[in-house]
Amino acid sequence: MFREEISRSSSVIVPDFRPELAFPKLTEEQIDKVRFYGVEETLPPNRLLFTHGARETDMFVVLDGAITISLPVVGGERKIIAQYRRFDFTGELDLLNSQGSLGEAKTTCRSLVLRIPRLRFQHLMRAEGEIANVITSAAIWRRVGILCEISGGVELMGNAGDPGMRLVQRFLVHNGYPHHIVTIIGDGTRQQTANTSEAFPQVTLTDGRVMHRPTIAELADELGITERPDAAMIYDVAIVGAGPAGLAAAVHAASEGLCTIVVESTAPGGQAGTSSKIENYLGFPTGVSGLQLASRAHSQALKFGVKFAISREVVTAEQVHGIHILTLSGRILLRARSVVVASGAQYRQLAVPDYSRFENQGIYYAATAMESQLCRDRHVVVVGGGNSAGQAALFLSGFASQVHLVVRGKSLSTSMSQYLVSRIESSSRITLCTETEIVKLEGEKSLEWVSLKDLRTRETIRKPIKSVFVMIGAEPNSGWLFGTVKLDRKGFILTGGPDAFSRSPYATNVHGLFAVGDVRSDSLKRVASAVGEGSVVISDVHRYLADLTALVAAGTLPPIGTLHGAQEVI
């Protein structure tokens, strides 16, 4: 027996669709400007302009006639979602990146269109700021519209408590890929026909093909989410990690003319992308979720032409004749004149028996809309005394009947912002358990019981808890740099100081390699500071690239081409 849980996915809150923002018409004045970048073509009815999955599609502006946009749905059928007429233009987020197109475009009648090739489109986005803003806004809202489609995208089927199911679901959500979920709620006929551990989760593609327990890399490749680095390109700067620091660095680098690529192992946002609500970030007086902030920053980076290599991890790094060569998973090579490491950190775990057995089956590291559905009208535990734990406790208190905030310290005052402390203390749905720790986890297939120990009285209490949110800090994602750059005792990257190659506070001991954000030793571990570091480091990158050019001119280094994305192969 199966039940379709939600059409848009239970793991993301989609804003109300705004068609007036998704489908703006260009003005006569704007049409005159875009003519410079395109070529007029007269096309017959039913001419296919681009197909689902096509990459690097051109932009089409309708001068006369009409274009129909359709989405493939599971089962091989198509659903018309838009019709473009005079002064409308095609494309959504696939215009701003190299990912596969989600839709298909055809002329519905004899039509006169202005075709703007991809390379010319990139010039348009750099030169025509007003038009670029219209296109970017439309691209974002059109993707929202696609996410709202009930039958659009792929079908994800599996057990709600399966860690693999949650991993795939989170990947689709954080990459903004349309999908709907079918949850197994019993021993139905289809479930009995296959070994559940081998068959689920399964992803049914729009052409009917089924992927059983796909890896993230396999799914990313199949859905066209992956963007491979250009093998012939020497990028000005490669940014490793798409958290707040990496995204800020990408926006500033690309907006200042540097050829920029970001390598991200999962999806834009990093650890901050899982935060339910950030209320002390400048410019958002009512707060913003980590996912919303990451999505906006990602779109902003795309607007300026940043390339993203999604679902690819950096395995090794070396420097040859002034060029950094990064080897990505799958033996993909990426070359850049400079590197900004913003790879962040990964969640720390509790030293409790059977801990790993309950990960994603009762133990979670994020408190978002996806997890909140598991906590409704139940008691939950949040472990940690930092801002992330406080934000999670407040968010979950809107769903759970009671939130137990567990900290080993005597108070929250030294580790948490005061506005969060005040709200926690005034909430009737949050119980603060100081000088307390989890000592035992119990359950058969998923978490059912949690034992809490009072460190003052040594008393242990066993509670029926099915969800524990662990937010006790993180370990740096710097393993790929061991033996390459200097690290502190905990593995965080050392920057500045006497060993740094320059006076920049973000410079490492390796020339042209910088580190910012949570992965950097002695960084503040806050979203705002990470964004600040990512923004500021680009001025240091500019100075380094200028010095690099001077060394080449002086003959100290072999010629490596000019700056700004030269395509000379070493």
Side-chain angles (χ1 to χ4, degrees):
M1 181 178 180
F2 292 83
R3 173 172 60 87
E4 187 167 330
E5 188 173 78
I6 189 168
S7 59
R8 290 187 289 187
S9 148
S10 61
S11 48
V12 63
I13 298 175
V14 181
D16 292 335
F17 182 51
R18 298 281 301 277
E20 74 278 10
L21 298 178
F23 306 113
K25 289 184 179 291
L26 297 178
T27 65
E28 293 273 7
E29 181 181 358
Q30 290 170 337
I31 290 293
D32 289 340
K33 290 181 179 179
V34 299
R35 285 183 189 276
F36 173 76
Y37 301 93
V39 178
E40 288 190 11
E41 296 181 4
T42 300
L43 303 176
N46 296 317
R47 170 63 65 85
L48 185 64
L49 303 181
F50 55 81
T51 61
H52 170 74
R55 295 178 183 264
E56 301 281 351
T57 58
D58 296 338
M59 175 177 165
F60 295 87
V61 180
V62 182
L63 301 178
D64 189 34
I67 294 175
T68 296
I69 306 296
S70 62
L71 284 181
V73 296
V74 174
E77 299 180 357
R78 310 198 67 82
K79 180 178 181 179
I80 295 176
I81 61 167
Q83 277 209 336
Y84 298 138
R85 300 187 183 279
R86 189 170 186 265
F87 290 1
D88 289 330
F89 56 90
T90 64
E92 46 103 30
L93 283 182
D94 62 299
L95 268 183
L96 307 181
N97 55 38
S98 299
Q99 295 181 358
S101 172
L102 294 179
E104 179 177 283
K106 279 185 178 181
T107 57
T108 55
C109 58
R110 183 178 176 84
S111 303
L112 176 64
V113 302
L114 181 67
R115 179 194 289 265
I116 303 177
R118 179 54 69 104
L119 185 59
R120 296 291 291 167
F121 172 78
Q122 293 170 347
H123 294 164
L124 182 157
M125 293 295 287
R126 287 195 293 268
E128 307 292 344
E130 179 186 354
I131 298 174
N133 287 336
V134 172
I135 293 172
T136 301
S137 177
I140 294 170
W141 282 101
R142 289 175 185 181
R143 176 59 66 95
V144 170
I146 293 174
L147 290 174
C148 290
E149 283 296 322
I150 294 177
S151 56
V154 298
E155 178 185 274
L156 173 60
M157 180 185 294
N159 191 306
D162 180 9
M165 175 79 166
R166 298 189 65 79
L167 180 65
V168 173
Q169 187 178 359
R170 189 179 298 280
F171 171 76
L172 293 172
V173 169
H174 284 239
N175 280 287
Y177 198 90
H179 63 284
H180 60 279
I181 298 168
V182 176
T183 303
I184 301 171
I185 61 174
D187 296 326
T189 302
R190 290 173 67 183
Q191 185 179 6
Q192 293 174 345
T193 61
N195 185 316
T196 302
S197 63
E198 296 178 357
F200 297 104
Q202 71 177 33
V203 177
T204 303
L205 307 175
T206 53
D207 61 4
R209 288 180 296 128
V210 177
M211 301 179 71
H212 296 285
R213 300 187 68 82
T215 66
I216 293 302
E218 290 170 345
L219 189 58
D221 288 342
E222 185 62 50
L223 298 181
I225 293 175
T226 300
E227 297 182 71
R228 287 177 174 263
D230 188 340
M233 179 74 77
I234 302 176
Y235 296 89
D236 288 331
V237 56
I239 299 168
V240 182
L247 289 171
V251 168
H252 282 264
S255 66
E256 294 177 18
L258 298 182
C259 183
T260 307
I261 186 169
V262 176
V263 182
E264 169 55 41
S265 61
T266 306
Q271 187 173 345
T274 65
S275 179
S276 53
K277 198 170 191 180
I278 304 169
E279 291 196 67
N280 61 349
Y281 189 76
L282 188 66
F284 294 90
T286 60
V288 61
S289 75
L291 186 58
Q292 287 176 320
L293 186 64
S295 177
R296 294 179 183 187
H298 181 216
S299 299
Q300 192 174 12
L302 291 175
K303 170 188 171 182
F304 289 115
V306 176
K307 301 297 182 183
F308 283 83
I310 300 295
S311 79
R312 289 292 182 265
E313 294 183 348
V314 181
V315 179
T316 62
E318 61 178 331
Q319 190 177 33
V320 179
H321 298 312
I323 295 298
H324 294 269
I325 302 176
L326 306 182
T327 302
L328 312 187
S329 54
R331 299 183 179 179
I332 299 171
L333 296 183
L334 185 162
R335 296 175 303 152
R337 295 178 175 80
S338 63
V339 176
V340 174
V341 181
S343 49
Q346 56 188 335
Y347 304 103
R348 286 179 181 162
Q349 301 178 347
L350 297 174
V352 181
D354 291 329
Y355 183 88
S356 60
R357 185 164 69 87
F358 295 114
E359 284 187 289
N360 290 312
Q361 297 189 83
I363 294 177
Y364 309 106
Y365 301 99
T368 67
M370 188 191 324
E371 290 78 18
S372 68
Q373 304 303 314
L374 305 174
C375 304
R376 192 172 296 278
D377 301 326
R378 294 180 176 178
H379 282 237
V380 302
V381 168
V382 175
V383 184
N387 277 9
S388 295
Q391 290 160 353
L394 287 170
F395 174 73
L396 293 171
S397 67
F399 301 88
S401 58
Q402 195 67 31
V403 177
H404 303 274
L405 181 57
V406 175
V407 293
R408 289 179 56 88
K410 295 182 179 181
S411 71
L412 297 173
S413 59
T414 59
S415 57
M416 189 179 294
S417 296
Q418 186 56 47
Y419 83 94
L420 289 172
V421 176
S422 299
R423 291 187 183 182
I424 288 169
E425 291 176 343
S426 64
S427 174
S428 62
R429 287 194 170 189
I430 301 178
T431 301
L432 179 59
C433 307
T434 58
E435 296 185 80
T436 303
E437 65 179 4
I438 294 178
V439 293
K440 191 174 184 180
L441 302 168
E442 300 174 75
E444 293 187 12
K445 294 184 178 180
S446 60
L447 184 63
E448 298 174 12
W449 295 88
V450 174
S451 294
L452 300 174
K453 182 177 182 179
D454 189 316
L455 300 177
R456 295 160 296 189
T457 65
R458 316 306 293 179
E459 179 184 3
T460 298
I461 300 176
R462 185 170 179 258
K463 291 180 176 290
I465 300 288
K466 295 187 176 181
S467 297
V468 173
F469 296 84
V470 180
M471 298 178 174
I472 56 173
E475 303 290 344
N477 290 321
S478 58
W480 58 281
L481 285 169
F482 280 111
T484 302
V485 300
K486 290 192 174 182
L487 310 172
D488 66 14
R489 291 182 179 180
K490 295 181 179 180
F492 290 93
I493 300 173
L494 291 168
T495 60
D499 294 323
F501 73 87
S502 78
R503 298 175 64 181
S504 166
Y506 311 113
T508 69
N509 62 303
V510 176
H511 282 262
L513 195 149
F514 304 82
V516 293
D518 288 3
V519 75
R520 189 175 69 85
S521 182
D522 295 328
S523 61
L524 193 55
K525 310 299 187 285
R526 288 285 192 272
V527 173
S529 61
V531 170
E533 292 185 11
S535 304
V536 172
V537 73
I538 297 306
S539 61
D540 297 329
V541 171
H542 270 293
R543 282 192 289 271
Y544 170 76
L545 292 177
D547 292 342
L548 188 65
T549 302
L551 289 174
V552 172
T556 305
L557 289 175
I560 53 177
T562 59
L563 293 181
H564 309 309
Q567 298 186 15
E568 178 180 334
V569 178
I570 298 178

